Structures are given as C-alpha cells and as structure tokens.
Amino acid sequence: MAAADRSSSIVEYFGGEAGYRCGYCKNVTGNLSHGMWAHSMTVQDYQDLIDRGWRRSGKYVYKPIMNQTCCPQYTIRCRPLHFQPSKSHKKVLKKMLKFLAKGDSSKVAGDEEPMDSHREDALACSFVLKNESDISQSELKPLSVEETERVETDDNNEEEEMKKEVTMKKVESEPPQTCVDKDSAGSSERSDSAKLVHTTPKPGKGADLSKPPCRKAKDIRKERKLHKLLQNQPHTLEGSPSQVEPPVLLSQNSKSKANQPKSLEDFIFVSLPDDATHQLEFTRFLCDSPLEAENPPSGPDCGYGSFHQQYWLDGKIIAVGVIDVLPYCVSSVYLYYDPDYTFLSLGVYSALREIAFTRQLHEKASELCYYYMGFYIHSCPKMRYKGQYRPSDLLCPETYVWVPIEQCLPTLEHSKYCRFNQDLKAVDEGCIKELGRVRVLHKRTVMPYCMYKKRRKGPSDEASVQQYASLVGQTCSERMLLFRS
C-alpha cells in the first residue's frame, strides 16, 4: 500500500449510462456510452485510452457503446507525415491567403464545409479570452502569406506551362504537334499483338473508332493556344545539339519543379506582401484540463498537455482551438470561432494548421506522428468529411487495431457497426487478465483491487470494476487509480 502519487491518473468510473439524446440523428434515448470523471490524468494514460476508443470532453471521459448506440463513433486518425491537401483543402487555404493579401471575402456557392471540424463534442470550457492589450507582441506568431500572384487561380500557370512546352518543342527542332494526354502517351509503343482494328460499329453498338475521339473543350482551347504560340515563336534555338542541350535541361527541370504538388507548408508558411490587407497571428498557451502538463527533454519544445490556440485577425480574436499534445499524437478537441468569419471555413483551416503543427512537433519528438480528429460517424453524412484528411485510419472497436479507412468504408455502407479487423481469430491484446491487479484509491491509500476487495464492506462492486478494467485495458487499469469511496 502507498499514498496517492500526484503523477498518477485518478478517475471515478460511472459505468454505462441510460440512453440520452443523440446530437446527430436526434434520437431521444439512442446515444449510449460508458463514462468516468478524470480528477487528473497523465498524457500517457490518455494516449492509451484514446487508442481504445475513449475521448474527453472537459474532465469527462467517455467511450460509446459501439454495438448499441444509435450512431457508432469510430476513432479516426490522420497520418500527417504522408498528408497531401486535397483540392477542397487547397481552396480553403487559397481563400484565406487571398483574404489576407487582398481583403477578398467573396463567397463561393456550395464551397462551405462543416464548421465543427471534428469538435462535435464541444462543451463549456473554463478559459477567458484575452484582450489585445493583454497579449505581448512576443507571444504573437504572424501567419505568413505568399506573394499576391501565388494566390491567384491556376489559369496563369496553365499559360506559363504551355510556353515551356513551346520552348521544349522548339529545342527539339520538331514541327508543331497536338497535345497528347499522359494516359495515351504510350500507345505508340504497343506490340504488334496489341494493334487495334478500327471497324465501324453498328448503330447503337458503341463509338466509331474510325472517327476522332470526343475531346474536352478545355483541351481543345489549350491546343489552339499552344499552336498559336508555336507559330509566333521565333526560330532561334535551332543548331547543334551542344548549343541546344542546356536550354532543354533547364526547361525540363523547371517544368518538373512546377509540376510538383504544393505541400501544406507551401500554403501556410509563406511570405506576406508588404501591402497585405489583413494580418493573422497566433498565440498558444497551456489551458486548464485534467491532463497533467509534462515537459521531458525528449519531448516537443512546447511540452505535453492541453493547449489553446488563439487566432487573431488584425488584433481581434476570431477563433480558439483546443488541442491535446500527447506522446504519439496531437488530438483535436474542439474549436470556437466568430460566426462573422464563417466564409473562411475556419474549421477546415484550423485542422490543416494543426496537421502542419503535428509535423513540426515530429521534428523534435519522432514518436509524435499522428493527428487524431475525434470520431468518424459514417451514419451521419455531415460527419463523413473527416475521411477526406488522408491517409487516415479507423480504430477497430473490438480488437483496437488501426485499419486504413479505404478498407473500412465498404463495410460501413452495409452496416453502421462494423468490426474492421478481418482476422476473425484476433482478439483484444490489451484486455484485462488479472482483475486483482487493478489499482484502487481508497481512503487516500493506493492498493490492488484484491486487497481492497477484502476490506470492502457492503455489496460487492466486482462487476463494475470488471467492466471498468475491460474498457480501459490491463495496462491503464494497473497504472491509473480507480477512486472508491
């Protein structure tokens, strides 16, 4: 026996609750979960808990009863080290850059995305927003914004790319040619056995291969512009191979570089024009939560714990994101934002910034390489957008192993509750094996459950302790302190 250690997690388990109203399907009593109150919690314990399907809202930590609740909630994580922003993500980033650089706040119809951005479980939070005068300039971290011309649409890049193609064709001293799609570029290298015989099909039996294929208007316009540029291009690069080789290499290198997809950092950490209309800055500081802050030498510079990330626009706070920095991940909790700036899609934008932040932390703490987005709820269409942050994984609710979301979606289309692990023999490796080893805090004294059970007076609580231990797993049950009165 020993006295309670301040560094230990202390929890009070409440068991399975009666059904309550679901915020997704609006079922009055369909939402079912287990819950416990975290008086204190270490970052390692919380990391292990969310890897078993738990999630916190303030100091309340809960786990949906997946095979019974009306809208099963699957823990989802993104792999930031391999993340590439999608087309819709780039739209949000460009929209923010254009707004900051030029003050353009135009709204595009149908361009809005869900604004909760995996903060669907947000509750009241005990934080106070600071006024501008309370923040020192040293705390403010400016958002960099790229030069104005880089926040324009890609139309200008298309014309520039065609000019490079003109240079390359002239260097090779070839006559003007029509553009060929990459997918069909290898058709000229087919073997004799793969030759196509063009025959005129009967009416209604398919396309006539003896006629030119249908083409997109955009491709036709691009070809016409390219042909015009080729005709107007002066013939100055003709000559010996030694004279034309350097321009060819330069053109190819420049085209190769231009064709590389922009990374997330290319959109976020870029230079702000001197005449930018707006300035976006950030502050980050520890906030009140059950997680005990830690700052080990091998950890990230900010340490582990719960943080507020404030978004300041021209000295005015417009959003506050709450994140938990844990040993293996950044876990997004929720986001508050000013509804006047809904047109900036702040939920999506903040998620992208947090992914970039996770990458930064990984540089110092190599094991920190995941971004947890809360719960993915396939049965609720408006919550499916979390699956767009790829690559990502869903947690199997029975064996607690991670499965790529692409493998999970087909089964979720047929059943809202699914076991993702296809190995039918696989079991929960972290399940409770020795109930007597569960740590209990009773009358300010720490003891194993086997000893507490002998001292306990009154009805047995073994069923409740067994349920608690099976849900948190053997490791956490032997490390956390289960409060017993």
Side-chain angles (χ1 to χ4, degrees):
M1 294 187 297
D5 186 351
R6 285 182 175 272
S7 63
S8 297
S9 300
I10 302 176
V11 298
E12 194 169 355
Y13 180 64
F14 298 125
E17 298 181 356
Y20 55 97
R21 186 176 185 274
C22 176
Y24 305 107
C25 70
K26 311 305 179 186
N27 187 311
V28 179
T29 60
N31 198 340
L32 299 169
S33 68
H34 300 284
M36 58 186 177
W37 189 261
H39 295 276
S40 66
M41 182 164 289
T42 67
V43 291
Q44 184 62 61
D45 284 341
Y46 187 54
Q47 174 73 69
D48 292 342
L49 286 174
I50 62 176
D51 283 336
R52 292 184 63 84
W54 292 81
R55 182 161 172 79
R56 81 174 183 89
S57 181
K59 292 190 174 185
Y60 183 70
V61 188
Y62 64 99
K63 176 177 167 50
I65 304 177
M66 297 290 285
N67 59 352
Q68 298 180 30
T69 190
C70 54
C71 296
Q73 303 164 55
Y74 300 91
T75 303
I76 182 171
R77 73 178 186 185
C78 172
R79 287 174 259 154
L81 303 187
H82 304 284
F83 174 80
Q84 282 292 341
S86 66
K87 186 176 180 180
S88 63
H89 295 151
K90 290 178 181 178
K91 275 187 178 181
V92 172
L93 294 168
K94 289 180 180 179
K95 180 167 54 178
M96 175 65 80
L97 294 174
K98 188 177 291 187
F99 171 71
L100 296 173
K102 297 183 176 181
D104 185 355
S105 60
S106 58
K107 301 180 181 180
V108 180
D111 195 32
E112 298 300 328
E113 297 191 37
M115 286 303 300
D116 53 2
S117 183
H118 47 269
R119 279 80 163 179
E120 69 279 358
D121 54 349
L123 297 177
C125 182
S126 57
F127 74 89
V128 179
L129 298 182
K130 292 187 178 181
N131 295 321
E132 182 182 5
S133 58
D134 297 330
I135 301 291
S136 65
Q137 289 301 313
S138 61
E139 288 181 275
L140 295 176
K141 298 181 180 180
L143 167 74
S144 300
V145 179
E146 196 168 1
E147 293 82 357
T148 305
E149 60 268 20
R150 291 186 62 185
V151 300
E152 298 295 334
T153 62
D154 294 333
D155 294 338
N156 295 334
N157 295 334
E158 183 179 309
E159 184 172 350
E160 185 66 25
E161 183 178 336
M162 284 192 292
K163 289 181 179 179
K164 292 174 183 175
E165 290 184 28
V166 172
T167 302
M168 293 180 67
K169 291 181 182 295
K170 284 309 216 175
V171 167
E172 295 165 0
S173 301
E174 294 180 355
Q177 301 179 21
T178 57
C179 295
V180 180
D181 291 339
K182 292 181 179 179
D183 292 340
S184 60
S187 60
S188 62
E189 301 178 4
R190 300 177 189 220
S191 64
D192 292 340
S193 63
K195 290 182 179 178
L196 297 177
V197 178
H198 291 217
T199 59
T200 303
K202 296 180 180 179
K205 296 296 183 180
D208 187 349
L209 298 180
S210 65
K211 296 181 180 180
C214 295
R215 303 168 62 197
K216 293 182 179 179
K218 180 180 178 182
D219 293 335
I220 296 174
R221 290 196 302 270
K222 184 175 180 180
E223 179 182 323
R224 287 174 180 170
K225 189 177 290 187
L226 174 60
H227 187 74
K228 185 176 180 180
L229 288 170
L230 283 166
Q231 289 179 329
N232 296 335
Q233 183 81 7
H235 295 255
T236 58
L237 295 179
E238 295 180 352
S240 65
S242 62
Q243 291 175 319
V244 299
E245 187 175 355
V248 172
L249 293 175
L250 286 173
S251 176
Q252 288 175 339
N253 290 340
S254 124
K255 183 176 180 181
S256 175
K257 185 176 181 180
N259 286 344
Q260 290 179 354
K262 289 184 179 180
S263 70
L264 184 58
E265 287 75 11
D266 289 334
F267 289 98
I268 293 180
F269 304 116
V270 286
S271 302
L272 178 70
D274 294 335
D275 60 346
T277 305
H278 299 290
Q279 183 86 5
L280 186 62
E281 300 170 303
F282 299 88
T283 59
R284 183 182 303 112
F285 52 90
L286 284 166
C287 63
D288 182 31
S289 91
L291 300 187
E292 300 290 338
E294 299 178 21
N295 202 348
S298 59
D301 292 336
C302 64
Y304 300 115
S306 299
F307 295 83
H308 280 150
Q309 296 200 117
Q310 295 184 347
Y311 295 70
W312 294 79
L313 180 67
D314 302 330
K316 174 187 176 182
I317 191 167
I318 63 170
V320 178
V322 181
I323 60 172
D324 293 331
V325 179
L326 304 174
Y328 309 134
C329 74
V330 169
S331 175
S332 186
V333 185
Y334 42 73
L335 174 79
Y336 297 108
Y337 64 95
D338 187 334
D340 290 342
Y341 296 92
T342 299
F343 67 92
L344 290 175
S345 301
L346 291 174
V348 177
Y349 180 76
S350 65
L352 295 172
R353 291 224 33 128
E354 289 169 5
I355 290 174
F357 179 54
T358 305
R359 288 177 169 180
Q360 286 182 304
L361 298 184
H362 172 74
E363 294 177 3
K364 175 70 185 297
S366 60
E367 291 187 337
L368 201 164
C369 55
Y370 295 106
Y371 176 62
Y372 285 48
M373 298 177 282
F375 289 133
Y376 174 82
I377 308 170
H378 193 78
S379 59
C380 181
K382 75 172 185 177
M383 297 304 297
R384 294 183 183 181
Y385 72 95
K386 295 183 182 182
Q388 297 173 4
Y389 297 83
R390 298 195 182 184
S392 57
D393 310 299
L394 297 183
L395 186 68
C396 177
E398 296 182 10
T399 62
Y400 304 113
V401 296
W402 294 98
V403 180
I405 192 170
E406 294 85 357
Q407 298 179 24
C408 304
L409 295 181
T411 55
L412 287 172
E413 286 295 325
H414 295 91
S415 174
K416 63 181 181 180
Y417 173 74
C418 298
R419 170 194 168 108
F420 300 135
N421 191 334
Q422 297 301 308
D423 182 359
L424 299 181
K425 296 181 179 180
V427 297
D428 173 17
E429 297 293 341
C431 65
I432 184 69
K433 298 176 178 66
E434 297 183 54
L435 186 63
R437 294 174 61 89
V438 173
R439 293 180 82 199
V440 171
L441 176 62
H442 177 61
K443 294 183 177 179
R444 299 185 179 182
T445 303
V446 178
M447 64 186 74
Y449 178 70
C450 59
M451 183 176 293
Y452 163 77
K453 183 180 178 180
K454 294 177 181 179
R455 295 187 175 191
R456 176 180 172 81
K457 297 178 181 179
S460 172
D461 62 352
E462 185 170 339
S464 175
V465 175
Q466 177 72 47
Q467 185 183 65
Y468 155 81
S470 65
L471 293 171
V472 304
Q474 185 76 43
T475 300
C476 281
S477 69
E478 293 183 19
R479 209 165 49 203
M480 300 193 303
L481 302 180
L482 175 63
F483 175 78
R484 310 309 280 172
S485 57

